[in-house]
Amino acid sequence: MLRDMEPADIAGGAFKEARLTYFDGASRIVRYTDVEVPFPEGRLIVSCTDVPGMITQANKAFVDMSGYSKEELIGAPHYILRHPDMPRAAFKGLWDTLARGEKWTGYVKNLRKDGAYYWVFATVIGNVRKGNLVGYTSVRRKPSRTKIDECAKLYPTLFAPGEREAYSP
Amino acid sequence: MTHTFTVSPDFPPARISGWFIFNTWLQRRLEAAIHLELYDDFVRQRADIAAGKIDLIYANPYDAALLVREKGFVPVARPRDKADEAIIAVPAASAVQHVEDLRPGARIASTDDPDVRTMGMIMIEPADLSAANTAAVACGNYVLVAKALLSGTADAGFFLKQSFEELSEVTRRQLRQIVESHIYVVHHALMAGPRLAPRRDEIRDALLGMDQDAKGRDILANLGLAGWDELDEEATEFMIDLMDTLT
């Protein structure tokens, strides 16, 4: 169970609040700012989850960019990164695509522990071992500013009626 | 029965003799006849892998999926502390300071080394560049990639980090690195094919013990390696999954 984000963890003073409810029914208050952290040059953010979506592996770039310690990330649900500016529709097709045994790609705005955000170009694939799905690997790389700007305009238009209102803490 | 050993064609030409010496050492350790077959390019090597002619390979990570998932190879060992990383460089006097300064139509020099090319293409994505809007300048080796930059026939070049660092001082002074990958988990792998798979642990033991004596260390030095670490099935599957996300 994720705890609410603590005001003391938020960098830079002023922040906004939202209550996010995740696919498994869990819910928490997230606090976020308008501070963007640029994706580091030449890095890949790599993480693995088990089938339910709990993080099992996190590389150093993931730890550095998320702001969480490795100990905080391992065993946490991957939606710990979910930013309130990401509409559910932006992830539509992710699970359907993975269920077909294909890889999913998309541009994602991620939430850091300190309330700042970072954009990534994400690819997710299922890990199949001896014919069985045992988890997922997600690799995030640096997106172009053009794509970020397109998504920053598009995503606010994809919220379903009432989806954002439900954020009220 | 003579087995066939091959090496990913991206090795530096200066290491050819080192691989022949390694093969002689391996034959003695395994008391087996092993023929070393070297290829100038990946296409011919992959054709022989597909034809089932290869029994042991020091493989490029890009080929790991083909070898493990389609041809039944088993991972044996990986080079110690030696990940494959890529560098993008430009002529020292170029106005290009960052990847984002490269423009559509840019001429990109690279070898046919598939993992370096994959990493290089990923690193130019932030400039909205891809194979579709850049011009590929094909080069036979990394020295020729450098020459393409110095002669003005390419605007940027993809290098294996180790090969960039092994360019002559004079050449490197005329080039400037604009970005370097820090991926850490992509590396070459020594793998045994179905006919040698039953001897996988024996090969692993021989390799892991190489750095324990002076002769073994000399052979490793000639290959530019510090030693070998065991590579298990799951670590290989992880690398295959990771490469899959990049292509």
Side-chain angles (χ1 to χ4, degrees):
Chain A
M1 178 67 121
L2 288 180
R3 290 185 303 182
D4 292 343
M5 290 172 70
E6 298 294 335
D9 286 334
I10 307 304
F15 56 80
K16 291 176 265 189
E17 290 182 330
R19 174 169 288 283
L20 294 186
T21 302
Y22 305 103
F23 76 92
D24 59 359
S27 159
R28 72 164 176 160
I29 292 174
V30 297
R31 298 183 163 91
Y32 58 106
T33 68
D34 291 328
V35 176
E36 179 174 6
V37 176
F39 196 103
E41 294 284 349
R43 259 68 172 184
L44 293 179
I45 295 175
V46 183
S47 58
C48 299
T49 70
D50 57 17
V51 176
M54 299 299 169
I55 298 168
T56 56
Q57 283 188 53
N59 74 344
K60 185 174 183 300
F62 186 23
V63 172
D64 291 346
M65 282 302 281
S66 69
Y68 292 97
S69 69
K70 193 162 189 172
E71 292 69 29
E72 288 174 311
L73 290 170
I74 301 297
H78 212 277
Y79 58 60
I80 192 172
L81 304 172
R82 169 99 181 271
H83 195 285
D85 288 348
M86 286 299 297
R88 285 205 174 87
F91 296 109
K92 189 175 183 303
L94 186 155
W95 296 110
D96 291 345
T97 304
L98 294 175
R100 289 197 302 271
E102 297 168 9
K103 58 187 167 192
W104 178 88
T105 58
Y107 292 89
V108 180
K109 184 178 186 177
N110 280 331
L111 177 63
R112 290 165 48 95
K113 183 180 180 180
D114 66 4
Y117 67 89
Y118 60 100
W119 282 94
V120 300
F121 176 56
T123 304
V124 185
I125 62 164
N127 307 131
V128 177
R129 304 287 183 265
K130 297 182 174 31
N132 298 313
L133 178 70
V134 298
Y136 300 96
T137 295
S138 173
V139 176
R140 282 84 81 194
R141 54 211 218 211
K142 185 177 181 181
S144 77
R145 183 45 62 179
T146 315
K147 296 291 185 189
I148 292 173
D149 292 345
E150 285 173 13
C151 293
K153 279 185 191 159
L154 173 67
Y155 287 172
T157 70
L158 299 181
F159 281 89
E163 186 179 346
R164 256 203 143 134
E165 289 70 19
Y167 282 179
S168 179
Chain B
M1 179 188 185
T2 299
H3 296 291
T4 301
F5 170 46
T6 189
V7 177
S8 173
D10 55 6
F11 66 87
R15 306 284 187 208
I16 288 180
S17 61
W19 283 110
F20 277 101
I21 294 167
F22 172 82
N23 189 51
T24 302
W25 173 87
L26 192 61
Q27 289 184 84
R28 287 187 183 143
R29 287 301 306 266
L30 298 181
E31 296 179 347
I34 302 173
H35 164 69
L36 175 60
E37 182 73 40
L38 297 178
Y39 298 85
D40 291 334
D41 63 79
F42 285 88
V43 174
R44 282 201 317 121
Q45 187 182 61
R46 287 194 193 117
D48 278 0
I49 292 168
K53 293 180 181 174
I54 304 300
D55 299 303
L56 193 66
I57 182 169
Y58 183 62
N60 188 285
Y62 192 90
D63 290 329
L66 163 74
L67 291 161
V68 172
R69 294 185 179 169
E70 294 178 35
K71 304 306 292 183
F73 278 65
V74 293
V76 179
R78 57 162 294 183
R80 184 173 301 151
D81 301 329
K82 194 176 171 69
D84 288 11
E85 301 290 358
I87 279 174
I88 300 180
V90 296
S94 168
V96 173
Q97 299 295 324
H98 308 283
V99 164
E100 286 84 350
D101 296 332
L102 292 166
R103 292 283 172 258
R107 298 162 302 165
I108 310 285
S110 68
T111 69
D112 66 349
D113 184 345
D115 69 331
V116 171
R117 187 163 168 73
T118 299
M119 292 187 276
M121 293 309 289
I122 284 170
M123 290 196 290
I124 62 170
E125 283 175 352
D128 289 314
L129 296 180
S130 67
N133 64 359
T134 54
V137 179
C139 300
N141 58 52
Y142 290 109
V143 173
L144 295 177
V145 172
K147 282 188 177 168
L149 293 174
L150 299 180
S151 66
T153 53
D155 303 306
F158 297 161
F159 293 87
L160 179 68
K161 183 183 176 189
Q162 182 192 354
S163 297
F164 185 78
E165 290 169 347
E166 288 177 2
L167 292 172
S168 73
E169 187 61 36
V170 175
T171 302
R172 253 191 308 156
R173 269 208 305 270
Q174 297 176 77
L175 300 175
R176 179 162 38 81
Q177 171 185 324
I178 56 170
V179 65
E180 173 185 340
S181 72
H182 298 273
I183 297 175
Y184 304 116
V185 289
V186 173
H187 52 77
H188 279 55
L190 197 125
M191 298 186 180
R195 285 185 293 270
L196 271 179
R199 301 187 69 179
R200 185 255 177 205
D201 288 355
E202 200 183 336
I203 301 169
R204 174 204 60 195
D205 292 344
L207 295 175
L208 267 54
M210 264 191 100
D211 60 349
Q212 300 301 308
D213 62 69
K215 184 169 176 54
R217 284 194 294 272
D218 274 354
I219 296 168
L220 286 166
N222 279 329
L223 297 175
L225 305 181
W228 298 93
D229 289 324
E230 180 167 12
L231 183 61
D232 65 24
E233 204 174 321
E234 179 50 35
T236 307
E237 290 286 352
F238 172 72
M239 187 172 73
I240 291 171
D241 282 344
L242 188 124
M243 291 303 291
D244 196 10
T245 69
L246 303 181
T247 54

